[in-house]
């Protein structure tokens, strides 16, 4: 499936490669330069010995919901090969592939829809052929547990069959379809981590419009946008 100029420029901005992803060395260096592992603190933080004495803490509604949105692993493009990797090891700039049933392992921007991450030729696009097939041109994602949105969001392609600009948030779930996405934020800087820190999670109402308006737009030390709010 072709990728748009917007997505191409975004990949360049994050110093990644759509075809090969990051190298093992690049990922290791980025992990060392960042806040560490792609993990976030739970809504109720307590020492292990306290949780042992008061196990009811782990059964509060917020802690139960927190466990539901935790990713286990992810399919990541590393050194040009797709591998299953611990989600905690993802770094900014990683290229990941998400399919139905997956929990989104980081804040990501959809780059292309379907399983195939290799760009098609102009001729195949003109002929209407695609390795992914018609069913791959849409994807449905549920962010209810993250932003409180009332309905799952459907992501499709534009007139050129490139994926529409769309952000997937850590903890959301893919209900239908598949995509290749670029990791734009990890760990304590993902939207969910900020909502927890600000006491806005679990969401009591739909926060989608506030997210779109830029209320949760964050920037790194160089002023580069870390969360797309499309």
């Amino acid at each position: 499936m072709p990728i748009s100029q917007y997505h191409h420029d975004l990949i360049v901005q994050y110093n990644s490669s759509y075809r090969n992803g990051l190298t093992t060395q690049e990922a290791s260096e980025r992990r060392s330069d960042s806040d560490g592992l792609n993990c976030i603190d739970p809504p109720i933080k307590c020492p292990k010995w306290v949780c042992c004495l008061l196990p009811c803490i782990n059964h509060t509604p917020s802690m139960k919901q927190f466990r539901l949105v935790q990713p286990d692993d992810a399919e990541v493009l590393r050194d040009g090969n797709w591998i299953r990797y611990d989600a905690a090891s993802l770094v900014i700039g990683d290229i990941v592939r998400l399919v139905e049933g997956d929990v989104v392992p980081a804040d990501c921007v959809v780059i292309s829809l379907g399983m195939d991450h290799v760009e098609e030729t102009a001729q195949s696009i003109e002929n209407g052929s695609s390795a992914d097939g018609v069913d791959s041109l849409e994807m449905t994602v549920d962010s209810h547990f993250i932003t409180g949105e009332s309905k799952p969001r459907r992501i499709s392609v534009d007139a050129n069959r490139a994926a529409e600009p769309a952000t997937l948030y850590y903890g959301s779930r893919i209900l239908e379809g598949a995509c290749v996405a670029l990791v734009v934020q990890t760990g304590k800087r993902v939207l969910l981590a900020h909502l927890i820190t600000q006491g806005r999670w679990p969401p009591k109402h739909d926060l989608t419009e506030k997210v779109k308006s830029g209320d949760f737009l964050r920037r790194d030390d160089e002023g580069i946008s870390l969360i797309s709010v499309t």
Side-chain angles (χ1 to χ4, degrees), residues 21 28 36 39 52 60 67 75 82 94 113 131-132 149 152 154 161 164 187 203 207 212 217 224-225:
S28 179
C39 300
C52 290
T60 61
R67 288 194 292 273
E75 188 177 17
W82 288 105
D94 264 331
L113 295 178
D132 296 322
E149 62 185 29
R154 185 169 290 276
R161 298 182 66 193
E164 298 173 342
L207 300 174
K212 288 182 178 179
L217 186 66
I224 299 174
S225 174

Side-chain angles (χ1 to χ4, degrees), residues 1-3 19 116 118-131 160-161:
M1 176 173 290
I3 63 173
R19 288 181 175 272
D116 189 0
V118 179
E119 295 178 70
E120 292 178 327
T121 64
Q123 182 176 0
S124 67
I125 296 170
E126 291 174 359
N127 293 337
S129 62
S130 170
N160 296 317
R161 298 182 66 193

Side-chain angles (χ1 to χ4, degrees), residues 3-194:
I3 63 173
S4 68
Q5 187 62 47
Y6 165 78
H7 291 121
H8 176 271
D9 293 344
L10 192 64
I11 292 171
V12 172
Q13 177 184 338
Y14 283 89
N15 296 314
S16 189
S17 167
Y18 180 65
R19 288 181 175 272
N20 299 308
L22 299 177
T23 66
T24 300
Q25 181 177 348
E26 287 172 335
S28 179
E29 291 173 351
R30 294 190 185 197
R31 194 174 301 111
S32 298
D33 294 338
S34 68
D35 296 329
L37 294 177
N38 176 35
C39 300
I40 63 177
D41 294 328
I44 300 177
K45 293 186 292 184
C46 65
K48 289 185 178 181
W49 66 270
V50 174
C51 292
C52 290
L53 293 175
L54 300 173
C56 57
I57 291 178
N58 288 318
H59 296 285
T60 61
S62 62
M63 291 295 280
K64 286 183 178 180
Q65 189 162 322
F66 182 74
R67 288 194 292 273
L68 289 176
V69 300
Q70 292 307 297
D72 292 322
D73 57 12
E75 188 177 17
V76 59
L77 185 62
R78 189 63 54 77
D79 298 307
N81 298 305
W82 288 105
I83 59 173
R84 299 300 302 186
Y85 218 59
D86 184 357
S89 298
L90 292 179
V91 298
I92 294 174
D94 264 331
I95 302 293
V96 296
R97 185 158 57 188
L98 303 170
V99 299
E100 181 178 330
D102 282 350
V103 174
V104 179
D107 283 356
C108 307
V109 172
V110 174
I111 299 299
S112 63
L113 295 178
M115 295 290 288
D116 189 0
H117 80 289
V118 179
E119 295 178 70
E120 292 178 327
T121 64
Q123 182 176 0
S124 67
I125 296 170
E126 291 174 359
N127 293 337
S129 62
S130 170
D132 296 322
V134 176
D135 292 341
S136 68
L137 300 184
E138 289 187 334
M139 184 179 74
T140 305
V141 58
D142 183 6
S143 298
H144 173 73
F145 285 145
I146 308 303
T147 63
E149 62 185 29
S150 58
K151 296 181 180 179
R153 182 162 41 112
R154 185 169 290 276
I155 301 168
S156 57
V157 297
D158 60 21
N160 296 317
R161 298 182 66 193
E164 298 173 342
T167 301
L168 305 177
Y169 298 111
Y170 179 111
S172 300
R173 187 175 294 273
I174 307 301
L175 299 182
E176 183 181 19
C179 76
V180 174
L182 171 71
V183 173
V184 296
Q185 199 48 274
T186 60
K188 296 180 180 180
R189 295 187 180 183
V190 300
L191 177 65
L192 176 59
H194 279 253

Side-chain angles (χ1 to χ4, degrees), residues 207-225:
L207 300 174
T208 305
E209 291 305 316
K210 288 190 175 182
V211 173
K212 288 182 178 179
S213 68
D215 278 12
F216 303 108
L217 186 66
R218 302 181 296 284
R219 297 180 180 275
D220 66 7
D221 294 337
E222 298 179 355
I224 299 174
S225 174

